[in-house]
Amino acid sequence: MEASWRPVAGGRGRARGRATAAAPSSGNGIYLRGAGGGRGKGAAGPGPRPGGAASPAAAGGSARSGPAGPGAPQTPAACELMSQRKFEEIKKANQAAAKKFVEEHFSSSSEEEGDEDFEGKRGKIVANTFTSYTTQTDGDMRELERTRQYVHEAFQAGAMTCLICIASVKRNQAVWSCSGCFCIFHMPCIQKWAKDSQFLVSSPLTDDDFGKRDYPWPCPKCRFEYKRSDTPSRYYCYCGKVEDPPLDPWLVPHSCGQVCEREFKPPCGHKCLLLCHPGPCPPCPKMVTITCYCKKAKPIPRRCSAKEWSCQLPCGRKLLCGHHKCESPCHAGNCPPCPRVSRQKCVCGKQIAERSCASPLWHCDQVCGKTLPCGNHTCEQVCHVGACGECPRSGKRFCPCQKSKFSLPCTEDVPTCGDSCDKVLECGIHRCSQRCHRGPCETCRQEVEKHCRCGKHTKRMPCHKPYLCETKCVKMRDCQKHQCRRKCCPGNCPPCDQNCGRTLGCRNHKCPSVCHRGSCYPCPETVDVKCNCGTTKVTVPCGRERTTRPPKCKEQCSRPPTCHHTSQEKHRCHFGSCPPCHQPCQKVLEKCGHLCPAPCHDQALIKQAGRHQPTGPWEQPSEPAFIQTALPCPPCQVPIPTECLGKHEVSPLPCHAVGPYSCKRVCGRALDCQNHTCMKECHKVTEIDACIGKNKAGPECLQCEEGCSKSRPLGCPHPCVLPCHPGECPPCVQMLRIKCHCKITSLYVECRKITTADENEKNLLSCCKNQCPKELPCGHRCKEMCHPGECPFNCNQKVKLRCPCKRIKKELQCNKVRENQISIECDTTCKEMKRKASEIKEAEAKAALEEEKRRQQAELEAFENRLKGRRKKNRKRDEVAIELTLWQKYKYYLLPAGAVVVLVFAWYIAHDVA
């Protein structure tokens, strides 16, 4: 089972068919929906998600479809391995489905097409085919472009489209071409279309009428009607010479390769000389020698398709008025009416008026009034031609009922005959029962049994009144979808007047026709596919703009210029209007007489305003429309030297803007304060005294309202108390709060004393007369008075200095001590005390060493005794008594006491020395 793919506008595709192309088993891949109205997805489908992970549904389904049951224990590693294996299987299935989809649905409609080089060569061949049509003048380019487009689409892959199935027409498929619009359809599609059209037209007929009439069928595109016998049954080439033309890659697809030889339309006696080709035949390229319309010029050779031409000389033929000659240039057909005005009489000759010479006969609005031949009546006709005729009341006349005839003078009226009127009344059934009378007959008042229009009900009522029942018709209209629902319908139900509204095959638009049976006509809309440069475009059926390649444009455009220039710029041949002319306009401007240097603007594209805006998101916004219109020349830009208002500069201004102007600079004129300048933007200044010059402010300049902004003396933080003034500022008399040198005391000094003092005076004014609180590097406080800078390093304070053993102590000056000029050495007493202290230490160390030896000896003896074994339990163990010396017994008391004695002795010696 297959589903066909239909590309539509917007880059999306929709599937048609009765089946749905199945996706991979995991539910993740390519799918096409069938007649249910779904959208066919692209080659990738939903596909694996970014990052390499499949969809959750696919992954979950794959994991659950493993061989292990729900109760089987699985390790995390086994689950992960199984999931990875399933993922790889799904990935491979998606890739295979995508590749298959691309090969089937996105391959070229003609697989035999060559590469891009062959495309270029083929384009040159097609262009050379029409060279003879374009190199010579006076050819009909519109029909030629149609033929060129059909031939180009026949070669271009995917350009030819069947409007019935909205599918590409391949070169190996049987096709049929309409003789009206030259649109190409698949042979099975057009056969089914013709059969369905004939069935729908003949289905409302009865069995007796069926088959007696030859009902036509229309072309799906141009509605050109064909007879039943014209239904295509065989596949012919474009020119109709060869049946089932063979596939030849060197010929146009579906062509026999022979000379076309079809008659040109309109017929000129010549035949088409191109090889069998699609589309209409190009204009006749034969050259004929023919003269102009007025036959005055010499015959010249011209193309047969454009053999009629004008010499542009005055026509000179006499006009219908009979007095003047045609002054129009040489033209085809009859001469136009005479444009001159002359005084002419009306038909009856009573009035004379100035009228166009082309209409000499005219009627006034007065009654003729002439006496008729009877002599009793006058003519009542309005301004007429010829005789008035006989009196309408003369001769034999009938009575009002037309039964009796009387011969009476024209001055007498015809009497009534007295017989019954017997005229048929308005009902058409009964006759008038009154006697012969003048005027219309009365209304029929007889009561009759009347049937309603649909024939289902009867009622007795006056004959002149129509009878319509209230029964609504339940018959189906010709669309076979909606009921008639008309009251008292006689059976001839009108056609359905509702809108069809079904989606057309292009999937972009809905059927605009009224409700009908059978298939809708193909979408009548077309889409323009433009080339890369945007100049050339190709109109394709709606729904095929995605697969149609843009046309290539390489020829030079030969159209005459549409602007005021004599020649246009060279550009490539293109469809539609020529690109805007970029040549300089060079029109003479009215105001200044300069030439317009702007690009040509005779046919500028202007966006059309006031177009319909979409009412909601369901309504597609329409593309902006552009209209060609002639724009006026822009303002003249020729530079004219002009001085600004403030006379700062002379600038070249555009010609259209010459006049008093501001250069946007600051005025800059000196104000009365002589310190500031006018900050207004360049403006007009009235110079009172011309000898002062341009730098003096005028009455239009600003008045200085600022304070004095002159620089103050160094160190003065106060502003000048005067407003902005000329000259020097007065001395500052405000008190200034300053810190002393030591940064502790605040002093108040007049500002002018500080600002006018020299360095020494400033040091005196900043001194607080107190001792400096700073510390010297030695740690003592500075003895100097409050001073600036670093403190002098001459500390004379007494400090105590000791010998190395700390026994001798002396008081000396701090600066000498820090300069290492004085040092105290130990004397003999200090040395003796050091010697005794060292002896005591040696004795203590020696005693400690002997004590350690005794302890070790005792431990050795105890260990030896333990090695001799235990004695009997009853016997007492010998206790080894170790006799302690006096030093061992009292050493903990003697050592602190000796240390105290040594310290007291050392202090005493040091005190005596000091």
Side-chain angles (χ1 to χ4, degrees):
M1 300 175 70
E2 296 181 355
S4 60
W5 174 261
R6 300 185 60 198
V8 298
R12 294 180 293 181
R14 298 177 184 267
R16 295 183 60 195
R18 298 182 179 178
T20 303
S25 59
S26 62
N28 184 17
I30 307 163
Y31 63 91
L32 297 175
R33 293 187 181 179
R39 295 179 179 176
K41 301 231 173 163
R49 297 190 174 183
S55 63
S62 300
R64 288 191 295 269
S65 62
Q74 293 183 354
T75 62
C79 293
E80 183 178 0
L81 183 60
M82 184 181 298
S83 300
Q84 184 67 22
R85 184 172 64 255
K86 291 295 182 181
F87 174 76
E88 293 297 334
E89 293 177 358
I90 295 172
K91 183 178 179 181
K92 292 180 180 179
N94 288 340
Q95 292 177 352
K99 184 177 180 181
K100 182 179 179 181
F101 180 80
V102 171
E103 291 177 353
E104 291 181 355
H105 299 281
F106 286 94
S107 61
S108 176
S109 61
S110 57
E111 291 78 12
E112 301 86 0
E113 297 293 341
D115 54 4
E116 192 64 26
D117 295 337
F118 181 72
E119 291 283 345
K121 294 179 180 179
R122 186 179 59 200
K124 292 180 180 179
I125 294 174
V126 175
N128 292 334
T129 304
F130 297 95
T131 300
S132 59
Y133 291 89
T134 57
T135 54
Q136 301 182 20
T137 58
D138 301 328
D140 190 354
M141 298 299 296
R142 293 175 298 177
E143 293 296 329
L144 181 62
E145 287 299 330
R146 287 187 61 192
T147 307
R148 188 201 301 268
Q149 180 180 352
Y150 274 100
V151 174
H152 182 71
E153 289 179 354
F155 278 114
Q156 190 175 7
M160 299 176 64
T161 306
C162 176
L163 295 182
I164 300 177
C165 63
I166 314 296
S168 298
V169 178
K170 298 183 179 180
R171 61 169 61 233
N172 57 353
Q173 294 176 335
V175 297
W176 175 82
S177 177
C178 175
S179 60
C181 62
F182 303 98
C183 188
I184 297 175
F185 305 92
H186 290 125
M187 182 64 70
C189 295
I190 194 63
Q191 290 174 348
K192 185 176 183 300
W193 175 273
K195 182 179 179 181
D196 293 345
S197 300
Q198 293 172 4
F199 175 76
L200 292 176
V201 173
S202 60
S203 58
L205 303 177
T206 61
D207 295 339
D208 297 336
D209 296 334
F210 184 79
K212 294 183 179 180
R213 295 183 58 187
D214 187 9
Y215 293 98
W217 56 273
C219 170
K221 182 180 181 181
C222 64
R223 309 296 195 271
F224 183 79
E225 291 188 349
Y226 292 89
K227 298 180 180 180
R228 180 191 296 269
S229 58
D230 295 334
T231 303
S233 58
R234 297 180 182 276
Y235 169 39
Y236 287 95
C237 63
Y238 296 115
C239 64
K241 296 179 181 179
V242 179
E243 181 181 353
D244 294 330
L247 178 62
D248 190 345
W250 299 102
L251 296 177
V252 178
H254 318 290
S255 171
C256 63
Q258 302 179 22
V259 180
C260 178
E261 293 185 349
R262 285 184 289 182
E263 295 287 342
F264 287 112
K265 294 181 181 179
C268 63
H270 304 121
K271 294 182 180 181
C272 181
L273 300 179
L274 291 179
L275 298 184
C276 182
H277 61 88
C281 294
C284 181
K286 292 286 186 178
M287 299 299 293
V288 295
T289 303
I290 192 169
T291 185
C292 63
Y293 295 112
C294 64
K295 312 297 183 182
K296 294 181 180 179
K298 294 182 179 180
I300 61 174
R302 292 179 61 87
R303 287 193 179 277
C304 181
S305 58
K307 56 187 176 181
E308 296 181 352
W309 62 284
S310 172
C311 64
Q312 299 301 320
L313 296 175
C315 176
R317 287 182 286 185
K318 185 169 288 188
L319 299 177
L320 296 177
C321 64
H323 301 288
H324 307 103
K325 292 184 179 181
C326 179
E327 298 179 356
S328 301
C330 177
H331 59 86
N334 297 326
C335 295
C338 183
R340 299 189 181 184
V341 177
S342 61
R343 296 180 60 83
Q344 300 175 6
K345 291 184 179 181
C346 65
V347 174
C348 64
K350 292 183 177 181
Q351 292 186 1
I352 299 177
E354 289 187 355
R355 293 181 56 84
S356 174
C357 191
S359 56
L361 299 178
W362 64 285
H363 299 267
C364 64
D365 55 354
Q366 295 184 5
V367 179
C368 178
K370 294 180 181 180
T371 303
L372 297 177
C374 66
N376 299 320
H377 302 93
T378 58
C379 180
E380 298 179 355
Q381 298 182 23
V382 178
C383 187
H384 61 87
V385 181
C388 296
E390 298 292 333
C391 179
R393 298 170 60 89
S394 62
K396 295 182 179 181
R397 289 177 288 171
F398 287 94
C399 65
C401 67
Q402 303 294 321
K403 293 182 179 180
S404 301
K405 185 183 294 187
F406 297 91
S407 296
L408 298 173
C410 64
T411 55
E412 296 182 7
D413 294 331
V414 177
T416 57
C417 64
D419 198 356
S420 59
C421 179
D422 205 27
K423 291 182 180 179
V424 179
L425 299 177
E426 293 181 356
C427 65
I429 302 175
H430 306 99
R431 295 181 177 270
C432 180
S433 60
Q434 294 181 354
R435 291 187 178 276
C436 180
H437 60 87
R438 292 184 177 88
C441 298
E442 64 179 3
T443 304
C444 183
R445 301 185 181 277
Q446 296 189 27
E447 288 191 357
V448 294
E449 191 79 16
K450 299 191 72 173
H451 288 271
C452 65
R453 189 166 60 182
C454 64
K456 295 183 180 180
H457 304 277
T458 59
K459 185 178 181 180
R460 191 167 186 82
M461 57 186 306
C463 182
H464 69 278
K465 292 184 178 181
Y467 175 39
L468 299 177
C469 66
E470 297 296 324
T471 304
K472 292 184 179 180
C473 181
V474 296
K475 292 183 179 180
M476 302 298 291
R477 294 194 179 187
D478 56 353
C479 65
Q480 298 298 321
K481 294 181 181 179
H482 305 101
Q483 292 182 344
C484 177
R485 306 303 295 171
R486 189 172 60 163
K487 291 183 179 180
C488 197
C489 179
N492 54 343
C493 301
C496 185
D497 55 355
Q498 298 188 27
N499 190 18
C500 177
R502 288 185 291 181
T503 303
L504 298 177
C506 65
R507 300 295 180 182
N508 295 331
H509 305 93
K510 296 184 180 296
C511 180
S513 305
V514 294
C515 189
H516 57 86
R517 289 184 296 171
S519 302
C520 298
Y521 279 98
C523 180
E525 301 293 333
T526 58
V527 180
D528 293 338
V529 179
K530 298 182 179 181
C531 63
N532 293 331
C533 64
T535 306
T536 304
K537 63 180 180 180
V538 172
T539 302
V540 298
C542 181
R544 291 294 299 173
E545 63 274 8
R546 181 183 177 187
T547 57
T548 302
R549 295 181 183 178
K552 296 180 181 180
C553 182
K554 294 184 179 180
E555 300 294 332
Q556 296 291 333
C557 179
S558 58
R559 297 182 183 179
T562 55
C563 58
H564 66 279
H565 293 101
T566 57
S567 62
Q568 65 176 348
E569 296 176 313
K570 291 184 178 180
H571 57 277
R572 296 286 186 182
C573 183
H574 56 87
F575 295 99
S577 58
C578 290
C581 178
H582 297 288
Q583 302 180 65
C585 178
Q586 295 298 315
K587 289 183 179 179
V588 179
L589 301 178
E590 297 179 357
K591 295 183 179 180
C592 59
H594 296 120
L595 297 180
C596 178
C600 181
H601 44 79
D602 287 351
Q603 290 186 340
L605 289 177
I606 304 298
K607 187 175 182 181
Q608 189 175 2
R611 290 178 60 82
H612 172 68
Q613 298 294 330
T615 58
W618 57 86
E619 186 175 351
Q620 295 294 333
S622 59
E623 297 182 356
F626 293 88
I627 56 176
Q628 284 188 346
T629 182
L631 298 179
C633 291
C636 183
Q637 300 293 333
V638 175
I640 304 297
T642 308
E643 190 176 22
C644 67
L645 292 172
K647 299 182 179 180
H648 300 107
E649 63 178 17
V650 177
S651 298
L653 293 185
C655 180
H656 74 278
V658 169
Y661 77 100
S662 173
C663 64
K664 305 300 180 181
R665 296 182 183 177
V666 178
C667 176
R669 292 176 178 261
L671 301 179
D672 294 336
C673 65
Q674 299 180 5
N675 297 323
H676 300 94
T677 57
C678 179
M679 300 304 295
K680 289 177 66 176
E681 192 178 89
C682 177
H683 60 91
K684 183 179 180 181
V685 179
T686 303
E687 296 182 358
I688 300 176
D689 192 357
C691 63
I692 295 177
K694 298 182 180 180
N695 295 328
K696 182 64 177 177
E700 294 86 358
C701 293
L702 293 174
Q703 298 296 326
C704 185
E705 298 178 355
E706 300 182 5
C708 180
S709 60
K710 293 184 178 181
S711 60
R712 305 296 294 161
L714 185 62
C716 178
H718 308 105
C720 181
V721 295
L722 298 178
C724 188
H725 59 87
E728 297 293 334
C729 297
C732 181
V733 296
Q734 297 190 41
M735 299 301 292
L736 183 64
R737 180 181 178 182
I738 61 174
K739 288 285 187 180
C740 65
H741 298 300
C742 54
K743 308 300 180 182
I744 295 177
T745 306
S746 296
L747 304 177
Y748 291 89
V749 186
E750 284 189 2
C751 184
R752 62 181 178 178
K753 292 182 180 180
I754 289 292
T755 57
T756 57
D758 57 5
E759 191 67 25
N760 294 331
E761 291 177 353
K762 286 184 180 179
N763 291 338
L764 292 176
L765 291 175
S766 300
C767 181
C768 62
K769 311 301 182 183
N770 295 325
Q771 183 183 353
C772 179
K774 298 179 183 179
E775 286 188 359
L776 298 176
C778 61
H780 300 115
R781 182 178 177 181
C782 181
K783 299 297 184 180
E784 299 292 334
M785 191 183 298
C786 179
H787 61 85
E790 299 291 336
C791 295
F793 190 59
N794 54 354
C795 181
N796 296 323
Q797 190 172 349
K798 299 291 184 178
V799 296
K800 293 180 178 180
L801 188 64
R802 297 177 182 272
C803 67
C805 67
K806 309 298 182 182
R807 187 182 69 83
I808 303 174
K809 178 177 66 175
K810 291 184 180 181
E811 290 186 358
L812 302 173
Q813 290 184 356
C814 181
N815 56 351
K816 294 182 179 181
V817 173
R818 292 187 63 83
E819 292 176 359
N820 295 326
Q821 296 180 2
I822 301 176
S823 62
I824 300 176
E825 301 294 337
C826 293
D827 57 358
T828 56
T829 305
C830 294
K831 295 179 180 180
E832 184 65 24
M833 290 181 65
K834 286 182 181 180
R835 186 183 60 79
K836 290 182 178 180
S838 61
E839 289 179 355
I840 293 173
K841 287 183 180 181
E842 290 178 359
E844 290 177 355
K846 193 174 185 179
L849 183 58
E850 291 178 356
E851 181 64 23
E852 181 65 25
K853 288 181 178 181
R854 290 193 188 94
R855 187 179 62 78
Q856 292 179 357
Q857 184 64 31
E859 290 179 357
L860 180 61
E861 291 178 357
F863 179 72
E864 291 177 354
N865 290 335
R866 283 197 298 272
L867 292 176
K868 294 178 179 180
R870 295 183 181 181
R871 296 182 179 182
K872 293 181 181 180
K873 297 181 180 179
N874 298 335
R875 299 177 68 178
K876 295 181 180 179
R877 295 181 178 178
D878 294 337
E879 295 181 1
V880 179
I882 302 174
E883 185 177 357
L884 299 177
T885 60
L886 293 175
W887 170 254
Q888 292 176 347
K889 291 181 180 179
Y890 304 106
K891 64 179 178 179
Y892 297 104
Y893 302 101
L894 294 176
L895 288 176
V900 171
V901 172
V902 171
L903 290 175
V904 171
F905 181 71
W907 177 81
Y908 177 74
I909 293 175
H911 183 70
D912 290 342
V913 173

